[in-house]
Amino acid sequence: KRQDIKIIILNNLKKINPTSFSINAPLLLAEEADPAVFCYLLKYIWEKLGEFPAENEEYFKTLLTLHDVGARRAAVDCLRLDKKGKFDMFLPALIKDSDTIVRETAIEAAQSTKSQEAILSLIELIETAEPKTATLAMNALLTIKGKSAEMIRERINLEEQSERLLIKLRVLAATGDEKDRAFIFSAVEKLRPEIIQPALEDIVRNELKLPPFTREEKSTIEKFINFTTGEIHYTLNAVQLLGDALSQRDDLYRLLLNLLKEKINAQRKLILTGLHLLFPENNVLTLMDNIFSGDVRKKQIAFEVLENVLPIDLKRQILPALDIEPGSGKAAPEKSSYAQVEE
């Protein structure tokens, strides 16, 4: 019946120009009915008029704070329309609501309205919530911007080395200034590749016009690429040794292999990100997307392009590190096997 009532109300409202009739009567009448019906009607009229009907403000505030979860769900859904921030003060509590639907809808509302009031609560969610909710909070902060970088910078601890640190660094990379990006670059050697790589990639993807690098800066990037390449070769050798040592424990070997694959892939992305900085005209990030796309043909073409555009010294060192699959039993070739793959 509740859904039928909502459909009847909407169908009748569609026949009426909201500016030509008093909105007080239908909304005040709905206050005596089900909260979901009231909110459904309110949302329609709010959207059409472009402003909240003031006569219903107090009742709407009670719905946002009621113990009845159904009322909170219906009310928080209306907050997506609150472009003027009239009810911003309720978002911090709703973002931490015990009900998942209320919590996620409040995060989406904060993102939609770019609520500055919600920033601290969203950062706290990143620090405490499960991965799905933490990711929603991150996406909201990336849209809100404002003081997000300033507030999250104070809560970054490089010793943390967790998924939560990864998310914080991505927010800092996307919403911060040059000093924040310099801080992220300086943390490269202190953090695991899988923690720092996404933030570095975000910076490079968003910096459409990078200033020309000095000779010293180019040398630093090349040294970083060389160091990371050496780490990959070291890890590949470790995988070979593990395979020999754990030949009777295939289950344990597979578990360790998957962990090492994650690390190697993050290191490979770091190398490709560095190559993009050195050779932006070759759009190496697009090649990286193709290499990790899961499409064998796209990966093959990407390696062929790298074969053609990289200087010989870099090519001989880097391509084997990008080419060999951990656990394949292959030794590092002098040249990438993708150059010989036929169409």
Side-chain angles (χ1 to χ4, degrees), residues 170-226:
R170 291 197 65 184
V171 173
L172 190 65
T175 64
D177 55 22
E178 290 183 5
K179 289 183 179 179
D180 294 317
R181 290 188 279 276
F183 166 76
I184 291 171
F185 275 112
S186 71
V188 169
E189 295 182 3
K190 302 174 185 176
L191 298 174
R192 300 203 313 270
E194 58 270 29
I195 299 297
I196 192 67
Q197 188 277 325
L200 284 178
E201 184 180 333
D202 288 343
I203 291 174
V204 176
R205 286 187 187 277
N206 292 329
E207 292 288 341
L208 300 180
K209 292 183 179 179
L210 288 167
F213 289 110
T214 64
R215 180 179 298 178
E216 291 75 15
E217 288 171 332
K218 284 185 176 181
S219 175
T220 299
I221 295 172
E222 288 177 358
K223 287 178 182 176
F224 170 71
I225 290 173
N226 292 338

Side-chain angles (χ1 to χ4, degrees), residues 106-140:
I107 293 171
E108 292 170 4
Q111 181 174 3
S112 176
T113 60
K114 298 184 178 180
S115 169
Q116 298 296 307
E117 290 281 339
I119 290 176
L120 180 57
S121 294
L122 291 168
I123 293 172
E124 290 173 347
L125 273 189
I126 289 173
E127 294 175 336
T128 60
E130 70 281 3
K132 178 187 175 185
T133 303
T135 301
L136 288 175
M138 176 189 74
N139 291 334

Side-chain angles (χ1 to χ4, degrees), residues 10 26 53 90 96 142 167 183 193 203 253 280 311 323 328 330 335:
L10 184 57
F90 292 95
K96 298 178 182 178
L142 294 179
I167 292 175
F183 166 76
I203 291 174
Y253 172 66
D323 192 11
S328 64
K330 292 169 61 179
K335 193 173 179 182

Side-chain angles (χ1 to χ4, degrees), residues 67-87:
H67 289 299
D68 178 9
V69 68
R72 295 203 309 281
R73 287 180 179 180
V76 74
D77 191 52
C78 296
L79 293 182
R80 302 172 195 268
L81 300 175
D82 189 22
K83 303 298 183 183
K84 297 179 181 179
K86 190 178 186 68
F87 301 100

Side-chain angles (χ1 to χ4, degrees), residues 5-15 40-41 44:
I5 291 171
K6 287 192 284 188
I7 292 172
I8 290 170
I9 289 173
L10 184 57
N11 286 339
N12 279 280
L13 281 172
K14 284 180 179 177
K15 302 174 185 176
Y40 194 80
L41 177 58
Y44 179 81

